[in-house]
Amino acid sequence: MRTVLVSLADRVFGTEPKQRLRLVQCGVAMLLVLGSVLNMQYLVLAGLAPAWPVALWSVVLAGGFAVFFGVIRSGLNLKLPDPALTQSQMVFAIVCGAGGYALAGAGRGGAFPILMVIFMFSMYALPPAQVMRIALFAVALFGATMAAMAWHDPATYEPAVEWGHFIMIAIMVPAIAVLAGQLSRLRERMRRQKKELSTALARIQDLATRDEMTGLINRRHMQELMEQERQRGVRSGYTFCLAMIDLDGFRKINDQQGHEFGDRLLKRFAREALNVIRISDLLGRWQGEQFLLLLSDTRASLARLGLERLRERIFAMQIDAQGPPIHVSFSAGVTEHRAGESVADTIARADQALRAAKGAGRNRVVLA
């Protein structure tokens, strides 16, 4: 039964969250419309309102909100400045409310609570200034309706009573509009604070997992990812490789060209490396000028070929410096993770291979 109800709700209101919310709000408004129509029919049965004008009014009111619901359900509302059609629905309801007031005769007092409820919907979507403009429109329209009915049918719409009704409308409607505007501002402030909090949390998460200078994965997070890869390998049987990379002569370059140049060099290496490695591979800054590359689902021979391509790409780039442009190279040690060993042991073997590459003359990749 629950599944049937959920399926029916999806058919009526759709599944897109924002559109679904708009349709639900419009559906609530349609229930209020139904209540208003039933109330007017009661006034007809009680002999207080004319039958045919009320029937026409009911068709216009119900049909109008059915059109609003259909426009939202079809998605045509997404092309409009106000996708929820809140202002249009409010203005239409106020116009119909004034018409109902003119038809209700002695039972016209029932129009006032409905008018107040209309303004409760404004707090969900409209800015305060817009709500106040609609409130002034409602006061003016109802005032004109009261004046017209007092002139046309003073026996039923006694001028003194209509003056009392107008004063009540003129005070209550703007007051409700102010309250709805305050709630709207509060809602907007909470939405803005939520967005700022989400941004701050994302920034904190980024700082906790990324190297601030290069934007690469930092050492602590890289260790977590490698452990996850090891556990995945235990479950699936796949293996992975690690490559320890060290920029050749970086300290000498840093001393000669300055720390600012050294920082720029590290950032340039990070950018170039990310353009070469596979999307599935992970590159992190290990320490100083050392980087660690995690190659998932890869054997050692293929990992070495990937490192050779990266080495050639880095050696080919030129960096402007004081004097002639500088060519940068790196040495790397590559090793394949062995079943049963820890990540620390795999890193240690990659580091040994790196030292072997340094000892063999640098600018080379050594496979452990």
Side-chain angles (χ1 to χ4, degrees), residues 37-339:
V37 169
L38 293 176
N39 180 62
M40 290 295 287
Q41 294 302 320
Y42 167 76
L43 295 179
V44 170
L45 293 175
L48 300 176
W52 284 107
V54 168
L56 179 61
W57 176 87
S58 300
V59 170
V60 171
L61 179 60
F65 273 93
V67 170
F68 284 126
F69 190 92
V71 170
I72 298 175
R73 187 65 180 87
S74 67
L76 294 175
N77 63 311
L78 298 176
K79 301 178 182 180
L80 302 176
D82 177 19
L85 303 179
T86 304
Q87 179 175 327
S88 301
Q89 292 184 67
M90 289 182 66
V91 170
F92 179 75
I94 290 169
V95 171
C96 289
Y101 184 90
L103 294 173
R108 61 191 179 278
F112 298 139
I114 297 298
L115 184 61
M116 302 308 145
V117 172
I118 290 172
F119 280 91
M120 291 297 98
F121 283 88
S122 65
M123 71 181 68
Y124 293 105
L126 300 183
Q130 198 169 359
V131 176
M132 184 54 68
R133 286 195 295 268
I134 297 176
L136 296 177
F137 166 76
V139 171
L141 181 61
F142 269 80
T145 302
M146 292 170 183
M149 296 309 297
W151 176 81
H152 177 71
D153 186 8
T156 304
Y157 294 83
E158 298 180 26
V161 174
E162 294 310 300
W163 268 113
H165 286 175
F166 177 74
I167 292 173
M168 180 177 64
I169 287 286
I171 293 175
M172 291 185 63
V173 170
I176 293 293
V178 170
L179 177 60
Q182 290 176 343
L183 292 175
S184 177
R185 279 192 291 267
L186 178 61
R187 176 184 54 81
E188 184 61 31
R189 185 163 66 247
M190 292 179 64
R191 179 187 297 174
R192 186 169 59 252
Q193 290 175 346
K194 182 180 179 181
K195 183 178 180 181
E196 292 173 353
L197 179 61
S198 298
T199 302
L201 290 175
R203 175 60 177 164
I204 292 173
Q205 178 67 18
D206 192 58
L207 291 174
T209 59
R210 295 283 174 178
D211 174 62
E212 188 173 2
M213 179 187 298
T214 63
L216 298 177
I217 301 169
N218 62 24
R219 179 168 180 156
R220 184 183 64 82
H221 189 47
M222 194 68 180
Q223 288 175 324
E224 295 175 356
L225 295 175
M226 287 188 294
E227 180 59 28
Q228 292 176 11
E229 187 68 17
R230 185 193 69 80
Q231 294 177 7
R232 190 175 76 91
V234 171
R235 294 191 302 269
S236 63
Y238 291 110
T239 188
F240 64 92
C241 293
L242 295 180
M244 188 69 74
I245 301 170
D246 187 275
L247 300 185
D248 296 328
F250 177 80
R251 294 183 181 179
K252 181 178 179 181
I253 294 174
N254 206 32
D255 291 339
Q256 293 177 346
Q257 302 293 331
H259 293 289
E260 183 178 349
F261 180 87
D263 293 345
R264 195 165 76 247
L265 175 58
L266 293 174
K267 295 177 183 177
R268 178 71 182 278
F269 170 81
R271 288 198 305 270
E272 295 291 336
L274 291 176
N275 288 330
V276 175
I277 65 176
R278 301 177 305 173
I279 297 178
S280 59
D281 296 339
L282 300 173
L283 180 65
R285 188 181 181 192
W286 198 243
Q287 59 181 8
E289 68 275 19
Q290 280 193 351
F291 300 84
L292 194 143
L293 178 62
L294 168 62
L295 303 101
S296 61
D297 299 341
T298 305
R299 293 293 181 179
S301 57
L302 293 177
R304 181 174 183 175
L305 290 176
L307 265 294
E308 288 290 356
R309 286 195 302 270
L310 176 59
R311 186 186 62 80
E312 293 172 1
R313 173 74 171 265
I314 297 301
F315 189 68
M317 74 180 189
Q318 294 183 354
I319 301 180
D320 294 333
Q322 297 177 1
I326 294 177
H327 286 273
V328 181
S329 65
F330 70 74
S331 302
V334 185
T335 188
E336 183 177 321
H337 176 73
R338 297 171 181 169

Side-chain angles (χ1 to χ4, degrees), residues 24-37:
V24 169
Q25 291 175 351
C26 188
V28 172
M30 292 178 72
L31 290 177
L32 293 175
V33 164
L34 177 60
S36 299
V37 169

Side-chain angles (χ1 to χ4, degrees), residues 10-29:
D10 290 343
R11 287 179 178 274
V12 175
F13 298 109
T15 56
E16 200 282 320
K18 289 186 178 180
Q19 284 287 83
R20 191 182 182 99
L21 177 60
R22 292 165 184 150
L23 287 168
V24 169
Q25 291 175 351
C26 188
V28 172

